[in-house]
Amino acid sequence: MGERLTCIGIESTAHTFGIGIVKYHPFQILCDVRRVYRPVSGGIHPSEAARHHIEKAVEALEEAMSRVDLKQVDIVAFARGPGLGPCLRVGAALARMLSLKLEKPLVGVNHAASHINIARALTRAIDPVVLYVSGGNTQVIYASEGKYVILGETEDIAVGNLIDVFARKAGLGFPGGPKVMELASKSRRLLKLPYSVKGMNVSFSGMLTMLEGLVGKEPVEDLCFSLQETAFSMLIEVSERAMAMLGVKEFIIAGGVGANARLRQMAGKMCEERNAVFKDYPIEYYADNGVMIAWEGIIQYMLGEKLNVEDSMVKPRWRIVDVKPPPSGLYEN
Ligand code: AMP
Ligand code: MG
């Protein structure tokens, strides 16, 4: 581990255009610039989000350059997938340009692995069960030192999608998460919603249909409260099942829905009851960001991953099981 590496990472998989710069060893965040696309109406429009990223790329890069001299950079990383094709291509284009200009290696990283490994870096979790919950993903993953194993996932829509689509229907705007959380805190009335757990898988489409039908008929606070209590109980149940099956004592949450205080509270309680540890970390790193891409870029570079510019096309459907996990002993001196 003698080598000291600095990596610039570019995130552009969905709504956030982020540039992060990370130094290692030891792990140190040098800069974290974010620009977030907010749709005028409806959910994320991929081509509109991509246009947002193109418009913000130069100012974001300038802001990063005002903090860190790019001459320090040894590696250029970008989120290669999974994500929205038009958005991914913006980050990839900027990364290729930087790699050529700085004459530094180009590394394409997996967005889901990046979420998990920034959580591990910030908490020092070694082989946790991870609940990965975002706008497009809901998975229970065992992040062991040898490989990533998907133990459970949604059979239909992601929990973030459940929240966002319900919120849009209820006129709460996009993204729905923060607004639903705020309204939920004003209610204690639990409505009966479909609770759909099959082994370590979950399903949310029935709950969404029912909630959509209740908009305007029940107070919105009660709908938000019931959505959170039911959906999050399902997620914590499957996470606990995974921990029990493997005998794992560490639990982390990754992805934007992890910003929810109630979900993290339930996670803490579940872990406490089974003598395990819920490893929480600063809330801003649950959301998409460039720092996690930069850190995963360092990890993958150390594992020998490098791309030629001509072979660096994006991978919108890249699954985490095809990614190499970090080497062990990363945080030892
Ligand atoms: P990501 O795709 O990882 O950036 O996460 C975005 C998702 O996180 C969207 O579906 C948001 O609605 C959701 N989200 C953000 N903040 C919260 C919150 N406080 N509670 C629940 N969901 C949230
Ligand atoms: Mg994400």
Side-chain angles (χ1 to χ4, degrees):
M1 298 276 169
E3 211 176 355
R4 284 176 70 93
L5 296 167
T6 301
C7 180
I8 183 165
I10 301 168
E11 159 61 29
S12 72
T13 59
H15 46 72
T16 298
F17 187 83
I19 299 183
I21 302 181
V22 169
K23 190 171 182 157
Y24 178 83
H25 171 271
F27 173 85
Q28 191 189 352
I29 296 170
L30 301 186
C31 128
D32 180 359
V33 179
R34 307 180 193 196
R35 296 288 183 276
V36 182
Y37 155 76
R38 303 245 173 246
V40 185
S41 66
I44 299 181
H45 306 283
S47 57
E48 252 183 40
R51 199 173 326 131
H52 163 272
H53 298 346
I54 291 168
E55 283 168 12
K56 300 291 177 187
V58 171
E59 72 173 54
L61 185 62
E62 278 172 352
E63 191 178 327
M65 286 165 63
S66 72
R67 309 245 179 85
V68 179
D69 183 351
L70 293 194
K71 285 201 197 92
Q72 286 188 47
V73 166
D74 304 299
I75 307 158
V76 178
F78 68 103
R80 197 181 186 192
L84 305 169
C87 297
L88 288 168
R89 286 191 280 274
V90 179
L94 179 61
R96 289 179 197 120
M97 191 273 286
L98 280 174
S99 163
L100 292 171
K101 172 95 185 125
L102 300 172
E103 299 180 1
K104 298 295 173 188
L106 180 66
V107 179
V109 305
N110 182 284
H111 177 90
S114 306
H115 267 297
I116 292 174
N117 290 322
I118 195 68
R120 277 164 142 173
L122 295 171
T123 64
R124 304 289 150 102
I126 294 168
D127 61 344
V129 161
V130 185
L131 175 63
Y132 175 41
V133 276
S134 66
N137 300 277
T138 298
Q139 290 177 326
V140 180
I141 300 168
Y142 177 44
S144 78
E145 290 199 329
K147 61 181 172 187
Y148 296 106
V149 185
I150 299 176
L151 299 165
E153 57 192 327
T154 178
E155 293 181 350
D156 40 54
I157 57 171
V159 65
N161 196 237
L162 163 75
I163 293 170
D164 292 337
V165 175
F166 161 74
R168 203 182 319 149
K169 181 90 183 176
L172 305 178
F174 179 90
K179 193 80 195 165
V180 167
M181 181 168 83
E182 184 199 326
L183 290 168
S185 70
K186 297 182 178 145
S187 165
R188 284 290 172 277
R189 179 167 165 255
L190 186 64
L191 303 164
K192 196 162 167 48
L193 297 176
Y195 186 101
S196 181
V197 167
K198 296 167 200 159
M200 280 182 270
N201 285 353
V202 291
S203 151
F204 292 117
S205 61
M207 191 188 307
L208 177 59
T209 305
M210 187 157 176
L211 281 165
E212 285 180 316
L214 291 171
V215 168
K217 295 184 184 134
E218 294 285 355
V220 68
E221 292 82 1
D222 298 350
L223 295 178
C224 293
F225 176 72
S226 306
L227 179 160
Q228 284 199 173
E229 293 302 300
T230 314
F232 296 167
S233 300
M234 287 163 55
L235 294 170
I236 295 297
E237 179 185 330
V238 292
S239 302
E240 181 168 23
R241 187 160 298 133
M243 292 174 77
M245 185 183 86
L246 297 168
V248 166
K249 292 289 181 195
E250 291 176 325
F251 181 52
I252 57 181
I253 302 179
V257 182
N260 191 287
R262 177 62 178 142
L263 178 61
R264 299 208 315 286
Q265 184 190 37
M266 284 187 185
K269 190 148 187 287
M270 178 272 281
C271 287
E272 203 182 300
E273 282 170 5
R274 48 180 308 105
N275 260 329
V277 194
F278 169 53
K279 298 209 148 179
D280 203 354
Y281 51 96
I283 197 169
E284 65 264 30
Y285 290 104
Y286 281 91
D288 291 349
N289 62 82
V291 168
M292 68 185 198
I293 304 302
W295 175 226
E296 182 68 9
I298 291 178
I299 291 170
Q300 294 302 323
Y301 178 80
M302 290 194 299
L303 291 168
E305 293 292 326
K306 254 189 276 178
L307 287 172
N308 293 319
V309 166
E310 54 275 24
D311 303 326
S312 64
M313 66 291 283
V314 300
K315 297 205 228 172
R317 299 187 178 278
W318 191 7
R319 302 259 300 171
I320 195 172
V321 289
D322 298 322
V323 176
K324 283 189 226 162
S328 57
L330 275 182
Y331 309 105
E332 287 159 18
N333 290 319

